[in-house]
Amino acid sequence: MNQPKSSLGAKLTTSAMIASLAEPGQRTRPAPFGHALAALAEHRSEIVGMTADLGKYTDLHVFGAAHPSRYYQMGMAEQLLMMSAAGMAREGFIPFATTYAVFAARRTYDFIAMAIAEENLPVKIIGGLPGLTTGYGPSHQATDDIAIFRAMPNLTIVDPCDAVDVEQAVPAIAEHAGPVYMRLPRGNVPVVFDEIDDYRFELGKAKLLRDGRDVLIVSSGFMTMRALETAKRLQADHVEVGVLHVPTIKPLDHATILREAGRSGRLMVVAENHSVIGGLGEAIATLLLTSGVTPRFRQIALPDAFLDAGALPTLHERYGISVSAMARSVKSWL
Amino acid sequence: MGAVQGQGYVGQALGVADVLSVAYFHALRFRPEDPAWEGRDRFLLSVGHYAIAHYAVLIEAGIIPPEELESYGCDDSRLPMSGMATYTPGMEITGGSLGQGLGIAVGMALGLKRKSSRSLVYNLLSDGELDEGSTWEAAMSAAHWRLDNLIALVDVNRLQADGVSTAVLDFEPLVDKWQAFGWHVQRVDGNDIAALVRAFDLARAIAKPKPRMIICDTRIGKGVPFLENRERSHFIRVEPHEWQLALDALDGSAVTATDEHRVRQP
């Protein structure tokens, strides 16, 4: 983190509430979503951007600067955002509708279900501040967005890891014929996957980023970055850790997950920036059990609770999703 | 259709029949054989349970074959009790949840302007639906975007599921509210065909950069005296023998269509 670790006596500042997730010295790219959408819109005239008064905070303003006539500011009215996105989709456009993940998942569920998903309209809902990426408090911490959206039929759900994932996911979800919910890393987003040979985001596919004999961490979103770091740390302790990145949570890549889960003797840990309830972990647990595949199984996830307000580094450590907390947890389970 | 099920939203359907008739046979541009024709005026039913009324006009307009009438509300029917776009030709949206159609209409109107289309978007709401906050977000937005290609209709029969609207959640004064939200507003007797014709004409002709609202005061069960005064008329139960009595009452008071009301061809 860009802030010193919380320790006895040293309280972190307010700016740490919205700290970038980048580690000190980590490479980042600015607003990958906004730039990718602007680039895509150059040759796809049906793409429009819509927001509920959060254009500047979801990187959509970058798209808006490049394509001002295609930028629709709907005001702080999230239900209207979804309804009007449905209407534009009915008229042949592909709307990317942005707001915070909390508002998309909680305030607008019925509107997405009835106006968009039931008819399979090509609306791409983009949710900023996924999981615990702000210290602002429960009003802005979307710890339940995946749980909420997994229950919606016809909806594809994407949780990208880094700037590369975001840049490649944008055209992929635009290409997909139906509705999509994508969690959005915003601002200066870390770049990690450019160092992984042949990495390519594919909608609906899980990717084994590194193999390991003792543990398999299955993760999505920024937790995959943390899983890779955890794997490096545990290697020093002679624990071999594999990492399976699952950027598409719905539909799950059953074949890849079951194949990797079936390696006997390996502990499976699902790590997610989401409540322990209803997210990637429970989705995989159901898949494993109904398929008769039963590895030793643990979850690293946020607790079923309204989380504290405070500095992100403190909160990530407190709730077990920092790299050091992850490494401790995995070692304790061996 | 109500006879098939023995019950249904028949009272509302009778009340709004005149509004739908004028909409489809005087105002709307459409092609019966091609209900998805790009050049059509879009008519959204944002009050899904009025489907029974909408199906009647879609059948009269030649969009739905009359033999499907009997399948209303049955298994595998294209005419479910609540209007759904995926089931029925000519049904633009899924209005079961109420309060969503006007917002969708805003999006469609924006899209039509993007395409430089001359088509209009109509959205029919119920008065109870005005309780939903989402309706008012859409109302603000329509005026903000100067959507002069959007015409909303409210069926004001002053009754909703839990009783008389003034007792449930009073929505008056309606004209004042919609004007304050920046709309051009008319309020008419929704069971007076001539008044409706004038209102639709004015709503389309007025040259202001505003969305248009026609508030239609209607009577539940209009045209069938014993239904007009029935208690618990939100979801009316009608006895088997009463259906013929109702049809007789309606036939007796029918207004003959004039040339002015013929289906307009594009």
Side-chain angles (χ1 to χ4, degrees):
Chain A
M1 295 284 175
N2 290 334
Q3 306 289 333
K5 281 206 185 320
S6 167
S7 58
L8 295 170
K11 296 269 184 242
L12 293 170
T13 61
T14 308
S15 63
M17 286 195 187
I18 47 169
S20 165
L21 289 174
E23 299 293 329
Q26 190 171 31
R27 287 174 302 121
T28 64
R29 281 181 203 160
F33 166 68
H35 288 293
L37 191 64
L40 186 66
E42 292 291 333
H43 52 271
R44 292 200 69 171
S45 59
E46 65 272 37
I47 289 189
V48 293
M50 309 179 80
T51 186
D53 197 28
L54 283 174
K56 283 211 268 291
Y57 295 86
T58 55
D59 295 341
L60 193 70
H61 63 303
V62 171
F63 167 87
H67 304 280
S69 81
R70 295 206 243 167
Y71 179 85
Y72 287 85
Q73 173 62 262
M74 303 312 291
M76 194 195 308
E78 293 79 12
Q79 297 177 347
L80 172 69
L81 176 67
M82 302 306 174
M83 291 187 281
S84 58
M88 291 214 75
R90 294 189 125 273
E91 293 300 337
F93 296 96
I94 298 180
F96 278 70
T98 80
T99 179
Y100 283 159
V102 276
F103 307 136
R106 297 173 191 168
R107 297 184 91 115
T108 71
Y109 189 90
D110 188 46
F111 298 82
I112 299 171
M114 288 296 101
I116 295 172
E118 201 247 339
E119 292 179 54
N120 254 313
L121 291 175
V123 176
K124 321 298 170 178
I125 297 158
I126 309 297
L129 298 186
L132 182 57
T133 44
T134 171
Y136 205 63
S139 62
H140 284 58
Q141 290 158 342
T143 52
D144 50 359
D145 60 336
I146 304 296
I148 289 168
F149 279 130
R150 276 182 59 228
M152 189 180 293
N154 297 343
L155 189 66
T156 295
I157 299 173
V158 178
D159 187 14
C161 176
D162 72 338
V164 172
D165 240 0
V166 171
E167 285 157 9
Q168 295 179 2
V170 166
I173 68 175
E175 197 59 41
H176 176 68
V180 179
Y181 169 68
M182 186 167 85
R183 289 176 136 200
L184 172 73
R186 67 166 184 188
N188 293 318
V189 180
V191 190
V192 169
F193 285 174
D194 60 342
E195 291 182 335
I196 295 184
D197 286 342
D198 303 324
Y199 180 80
R200 187 110 212 112
F201 173 88
E202 279 182 82
L203 194 62
K205 295 279 181 241
K207 300 289 166 112
L208 190 70
L209 302 182
R210 111 178 230 145
D211 208 351
R213 175 195 66 218
D214 301 316
V215 183
L216 179 70
I217 302 179
V218 184
S219 54
S220 70
F222 73 72
M223 292 300 281
T224 292
M225 271 189 267
R226 302 240 170 120
L228 290 168
E229 282 305 308
T230 302
K232 285 189 200 140
R233 287 204 194 180
L234 291 176
Q235 192 160 28
D237 296 326
H238 307 292
V239 179
E240 298 295 321
V241 180
V243 176
L244 181 67
H245 179 46
V246 184
T248 305
I249 298 179
K250 185 177 187 183
L252 271 185
D253 181 353
H254 289 195
T256 305
I257 293 168
L258 289 173
R259 183 190 73 224
E260 295 302 326
R263 289 257 298 267
S264 67
R266 184 160 72 166
L267 168 70
M268 177 183 267
V269 178
V270 181
E272 58 187 310
N273 169 32
H274 186 271
S275 167
V276 64
I277 292 181
L280 183 64
E282 282 194 353
I284 290 178
T286 304
L287 170 64
L288 295 178
L289 198 56
T290 50
S291 306
V293 177
T294 52
R296 285 187 60 227
F297 182 88
R298 291 285 184 273
Q299 286 177 262
I300 289 174
L302 301 168
D304 173 27
F306 292 107
L307 305 185
D308 296 338
L312 269 187
T314 312
L315 298 176
H316 282 205
E317 181 66 26
R318 178 175 300 159
Y319 296 120
I321 63 170
S322 64
V323 173
S324 48
M326 290 169 69
R328 276 198 309 276
S329 297
V330 174
K331 278 205 278 198
S332 75
W333 293 326
L334 290 170
Chain B
M1 282 176 278
V4 171
Q5 300 293 330
Q7 58 190 356
Y9 302 102
V10 175
Q12 297 90 326
L14 290 167
V16 83
D18 299 320
V19 175
L20 285 170
S21 301
V22 174
Y24 272 80
F25 302 121
H26 178 72
L28 254 62
R29 296 173 77 224
F30 62 92
R31 289 183 183 159
E33 75 284 1
D34 183 11
W37 171 48
E38 172 61 23
R40 74 193 187 285
D41 290 332
R42 285 94 166 113
F43 190 96
L44 276 55
L45 186 72
S46 91
V47 48
H49 58 279
Y50 276 38
I52 186 174
H54 203 181
Y55 298 149
V57 79
L58 290 174
I59 286 169
E60 290 290 329
I63 294 168
I64 297 174
E67 49 277 14
E68 289 196 40
L69 198 70
E70 285 172 6
S71 76
Y72 170 73
C74 299
D75 286 338
D76 305 316
S77 167
R78 291 203 304 174
L79 309 184
M81 273 183 78
S82 181
M84 290 195 268
T86 50
Y87 276 71
T88 315
M91 185 64 67
E92 299 275 359
I93 63 166
T94 295
S97 188
L98 272 71
Q100 301 194 357
L102 195 62
I104 300 173
V106 165
M108 290 171 80
L110 287 170
L112 287 168
K113 281 194 178 290
R114 233 194 134 67
K115 294 189 283 190
S116 303
S117 167
R118 289 174 49 224
S119 294
L120 303 179
V121 189
Y122 292 81
N123 184 62
L124 174 62
L125 301 95
S126 72
D127 51 5
E129 199 175 348
L130 300 178
D131 296 357
E132 290 286 350
S134 50
T135 296
W136 299 98
E137 292 178 24
M140 271 211 289
S141 185
H144 173 84
W145 287 99
R146 306 188 190 299
L147 297 177
D148 55 6
N149 55 347
L150 173 54
I151 300 177
L153 310 157
V154 182
D155 175 38
V156 179
N157 53 35
R158 289 169 302 286
L159 206 65
Q160 50 196 98
D162 271 347
V164 176
S165 298
T166 44
V168 172
L169 184 59
D170 198 357
F171 46 69
E172 297 286 3
L174 273 186
V175 172
D176 293 345
K177 285 188 168 85
W178 286 94
Q179 280 178 344
F181 272 72
W183 289 57
H184 174 266
V185 186
Q186 300 178 79
R187 187 161 191 163
V188 298
D189 176 348
N191 294 125
D192 178 342
I193 301 275
L196 285 168
V197 167
R198 285 193 301 273
F200 273 85
D201 285 347
L202 184 60
R204 289 176 297 157
I206 197 107
K208 292 203 169 111
K210 296 176 160 195
R212 295 97 209 276
M213 163 57 78
I214 308 174
I215 299 168
C216 305
D217 289 295
T218 65
R219 207 176 158 77
I220 291 246
K222 172 73 179 167
V224 182
F226 66 88
L227 291 183
E228 288 185 27
N229 300 305
R230 178 149 297 185
E231 279 184 26
R232 290 194 293 280
S233 48
H234 178 71
F235 191 78
I236 284 186
R237 270 211 67 79
V238 180
E239 297 309 315
H241 71 281
E242 290 179 313
W243 293 107
Q244 190 56 53
L245 292 173
L247 289 170
D248 291 344
L250 288 166
D251 284 340
S253 65
V255 173
T256 313
T258 64
D259 284 329
E260 201 188 339
H261 303 157
R262 293 258 176 263
V263 174
R264 282 181 59 214
Q265 298 302 319

